[in-house]
Amino acid sequence: MERARAEHARPLARRPLVTLLTAAALAASGLTALTSAARAADADLARNGGFESALDGWTCTAGTTVTSPVHSGTAALKATPAGADNARCSQTVSVKPDSQYTLSGYVRGTYVYLGASGTGTTDVSTWAQSAPDWQQLTTTFRTGPSTSKVTIYTHGWYGTGAYHADDISLTGPGGETGQPPAAPGGLRTGSVTSSSVALSWSPVPGATGYAVYRDGARAGTVTGTSTTVSGLTPSTAYSFQVTAVNDAGESARSATVTATTAQRPDDGGGSSDLPAHALVGYLHASFANGSGYTRMADVPDSWDVIDLAFGEPTSVTSGDIRFERCPVAECPNVESDAEFKAAIKAKQAAGKKVLISIGGQNGQVQLTTTAARDTFVSSVSAIIDEYGLDGLDIDFEGHSLSLNADDTDFKNPKTPVIVNLISAVKTLKAKYGDGFVLTMAPETFFVQLGYQYYGTGKWGGQDPRAGAYLPVIHALRDDLTLLHVQDYNSGSIMGLDNQYHSMGGADFHIAMTDMLLTGFPVAGDANNVFPPLRPDQVAIGMPASTQAGNGHVSSAEANKALNCLTKKTDCGSYATHGTWPDLRGLMTWSINWDRYANWEFQKNFDAYFG
């Protein structure tokens, strides 16, 4: 675990393709000057072109609004392209056939585009190669003889950094927009869980979509007449409304329905008897690794979950997991098997959980076949039974998990190593029951990097491991006790503020944890969102000392991260999307390294939560 490094796989840079309209081309296409009579009937048809109402009217793959810099008013668009996404923002506007239009806007950044498509004649675009300050872009077009709608858009270029846009206008005669649809009727609730409420309503003639409101704030849009609102807090009352939307606008809101989420099940995920704030650590049970061997009986009572590192396969694809205790030659003070098992029972009697952790840096596990899956289940069961353990920690690293090229939906995975792992864990859960403790310790590359990249990407060329843990976490979220992502040995990762965050301070832990508790669109797709986890399912992974791994932070920085996430204080420059006093706690690599560093990590945890 401690030596693994997350690597960013970035697609090859693409050169911008630019359409240049010369004066001759303009004349040939009939784009002549407007008459004074035509100008008198013109209007600005772009909706919310100044982004004063957030992204209302716009559909963006990776955009948000900011208060600085702005060209005018109080807001502007900021959008950040990724390796497989040019951060396009667009809206469809009603226009008149055979009419002249001028598209204009102000932009900042490198390779910023403004254009129109679906014109019925020649689609146009204009661009700024480099605009360190606000620069106006303008282009014109004429609609075709039967064109009634045109899409205007702005975008950047792949991997070239964020761009800004403001005061976008489309000037010309307005089209026939009709009337907004009627308000939806028949809004009702369906299945209600501790974290979600299902809604449905009657269809509205003329509606092209529906907006869903939760407690008065827009929670999302859908095209059908049902949805499930997720990421809710257990035992909490919520109110819901919906509106119908078409090109002419949005209807009045429906009647309000209310629902109270269910109480969190006491026996769910094997977490009910963990303390409200838990300390998780890995115990080098099969090796010393320079930190020295720590006997199970010598682990202080502060540690609530003890992960035995590591169970490893006999070969990468066998699924046959073995747990070998540290040999005397490497660990002269190692206890006997009988003493080890007795110490485990004593920890459990004191309310602690002891798990077998599978994988680690050297333990590559690829369940490529159902036979390997079944062997995994039987061999892991044998380890759990022999030592009387409470459950399983999945610490797959390196090349254990990757996505096939056609596996693009984290909610419906196809790749055998993913599908077989999910199936194996569900089988273990069913065998041992509700008290089975399941934890996971993925690297940021396999989780938060999924905000930008997922698998090989739309055009291929990306690292197939990017975001590969997301389908596993999602499929097992109802069985998951704790997710403690390794916020160390990581490259820089983009947070929900579309800024890159690096290890070494509270900011990285705040941004990475906020993503898990808020949820995020996968690969920038706003229609494919990884739902948030419950705060009691999340712990923050940190190295115990400078020797334990890259990204160690001081106790003061660790406390800043906890203050921000649980109290919304000490947040620095990153604005979290909530406050989570039920955040479960901290995980560290490792108990051995913390002992080596005079128990600094443990002592600080005890002082903070004591």
Side-chain angles (χ1 to χ4, degrees):
M1 176 184 285
E2 74 277 30
R3 296 187 299 274
R5 298 290 188 269
E7 301 174 354
H8 290 293
R10 299 181 62 85
L12 296 174
R14 300 173 174 83
R15 288 189 177 180
L17 302 177
V18 185
T19 301
L20 300 178
L21 297 179
T22 64
L26 287 170
S29 61
L31 304 183
T32 56
L34 296 175
T35 66
S36 58
R39 283 195 296 267
D42 287 349
D44 182 3
L45 307 179
R47 176 178 172 182
N48 189 30
F51 300 96
E52 301 299 315
S53 300
L55 296 179
D56 181 44
W58 295 92
T59 299
C60 300
T61 60
T64 186
T65 53
V66 294
T67 57
S68 179
V70 300
H71 176 256
S72 69
T74 60
L77 169 70
K78 178 182 179 181
T80 305
D85 176 33
N86 62 11
R88 175 184 167 107
C89 284
S90 64
Q91 69 170 264
T92 300
V93 180
S94 295
V95 294
K96 284 188 174 181
D98 197 25
S99 299
Q100 190 79 15
Y101 292 88
T102 299
L103 176 63
S104 179
Y106 288 85
V107 300
R108 284 171 56 119
T110 302
Y111 295 128
V112 194
Y113 292 74
L114 178 68
S117 62
T119 63
T121 55
T122 301
D123 291 351
V124 297
S125 68
T126 182
W127 66 300
Q129 180 173 348
S130 178
D133 202 353
W134 291 108
Q135 177 178 325
Q136 187 176 27
L137 298 178
T138 302
T139 187
T140 60
F141 62 88
R142 191 172 190 86
T143 53
S146 60
T147 301
S148 60
K149 297 182 188 301
V150 167
T151 298
I152 60 174
Y153 63 85
T154 181
H155 68 74
W157 202 252
Y158 306 93
T160 57
Y163 72 88
H164 295 81
D166 201 1
D167 296 332
I168 296 175
S169 65
L170 178 66
T171 305
E176 298 296 330
T177 60
Q179 296 294 321
L187 178 62
R188 53 201 175 274
T189 61
S191 174
V192 178
T193 72
S194 61
S195 61
S196 66
V197 174
L199 300 171
S200 61
W201 54 91
S202 301
V204 177
T208 57
Y210 300 89
V212 180
Y213 289 82
R214 184 188 74 197
D215 293 337
R218 182 180 283 205
T221 58
V222 296
T223 56
T225 56
S226 65
T227 189
T228 297
V229 182
S230 59
L232 306 180
T233 302
S235 304
T236 303
Y238 292 93
S239 64
F240 301 95
Q241 296 169 290
V242 293
T243 61
V245 180
N246 65 14
D247 291 339
E250 187 173 356
S251 74
R253 296 187 187 183
S254 69
T256 300
V257 298
T258 60
T260 299
T261 49
Q263 189 174 21
R264 182 180 303 137
D266 289 339
D267 58 355
S271 65
S272 61
D273 49 357
L274 284 180
H277 301 293
L279 180 61
V280 182
Y282 287 79
L283 184 68
H284 306 181
S286 57
F287 57 93
N289 202 28
S291 60
Y293 183 80
T294 300
R295 295 163 63 101
M296 174 65 72
D298 295 333
V299 175
D301 287 341
S302 296
W303 300 90
D304 301 296
V305 180
I306 302 167
D307 293 320
L308 303 180
F310 288 105
E312 299 182 359
T314 55
S315 68
V316 172
T317 58
S318 70
D320 187 7
I321 306 300
R322 303 297 174 90
F323 174 58
E324 304 292 341
R325 307 232 10 260
C326 190
V328 175
E330 184 178 353
C331 304
N333 61 323
V334 65
E335 68 268 61
S336 68
D337 277 357
E339 291 171 326
F340 185 69
K341 292 174 182 177
I344 290 174
K345 288 183 178 179
K347 291 296 179 188
Q348 292 167 330
K352 313 305 177 184
K353 304 295 183 183
V354 184
L355 316 180
I356 180 64
S357 180
I358 306 298
Q361 178 179 278
N362 298 324
Q364 304 294 295
V365 182
Q366 296 175 1
L367 304 182
T368 56
T369 64
T370 55
R373 175 200 65 191
D374 296 342
T375 301
F376 180 89
V377 171
S378 60
S379 60
V380 170
S381 296
I383 296 169
I384 291 173
D385 293 344
E386 179 179 355
Y387 293 95
L389 304 179
D390 296 288
L392 169 67
D393 173 70
I394 301 173
D395 185 15
F396 285 16
E397 300 180 14
H399 290 271
S400 292
L401 296 181
S402 62
L403 295 158
N404 290 349
D406 63 344
D407 199 343
T408 58
D409 181 4
F410 76 91
K411 297 176 182 176
N412 298 285
K414 303 177 182 177
T415 307
V417 295
I418 303 289
V419 174
N420 290 332
L421 175 60
I422 293 168
S423 175
V425 175
K426 283 188 174 293
T427 301
L428 288 166
K429 171 75 174 183
K431 176 178 180 178
Y432 291 102
D434 291 328
F436 184 76
V437 178
L438 173 64
T439 66
M440 301 183 194
E443 297 163 290
T444 55
F445 188 95
F446 296 89
V447 183
Q448 288 93 337
L449 186 66
Y451 178 50
Q452 282 186 281
Y453 309 104
Y454 188 70
T456 58
K458 295 178 181 178
W459 295 281
Q462 295 176 189
D463 192 318
R465 299 172 298 166
Y469 246 95
L470 293 177
V472 179
I473 298 168
H474 184 68
L476 297 171
R477 64 173 54 236
D478 291 339
D479 302 311
L480 180 65
T481 309
L482 280 176
L483 176 72
H484 31 64
V485 175
Q486 301 175 36
D487 286 359
Y488 46 91
N489 296 337
S490 169
S492 296
I493 302 291
M494 181 179 286
L496 294 180
D497 57 352
N498 289 327
Q499 302 298 313
Y500 284 99
H501 299 269
S502 301
M503 300 182 301
D507 173 82
F508 189 69
H509 297 295
I510 293 167
M512 296 301 99
T513 308
D514 180 63
M515 296 179 76
L516 302 176
L517 297 172
T518 303
F520 54 87
V522 175
D525 184 353
N527 296 314
N528 194 30
V529 174
F530 178 78
L533 293 167
R534 302 191 317 263
D536 68 284
Q537 290 180 297
V538 176
I540 309 173
M542 301 179 176
S545 65
T546 54
Q547 299 95 334
N550 292 331
H552 174 260
V553 297
S554 67
S555 295
E557 289 297 300
N559 292 348
K560 284 181 182 178
L562 290 169
N563 285 341
C564 178
L565 292 163
T566 65
K567 305 173 184 176
K568 217 173 183 66
T569 61
D570 284 339
C571 287
S573 61
Y574 185 90
T576 61
H577 294 75
T579 307
W580 302 278
D582 292 335
L583 180 74
R584 181 63 76 175
L586 299 180
M587 173 275 279
T588 193
W589 176 263
S590 63
I591 294 173
N592 304 58
W593 280 117
D594 195 35
R595 181 185 184 186
Y596 187 88
N598 196 31
W599 302 113
E600 177 187 352
F601 194 90
Q602 172 210 301
K603 290 176 181 176
N604 183 64
F605 179 90
D606 289 344
Y608 187 90
F609 288 110

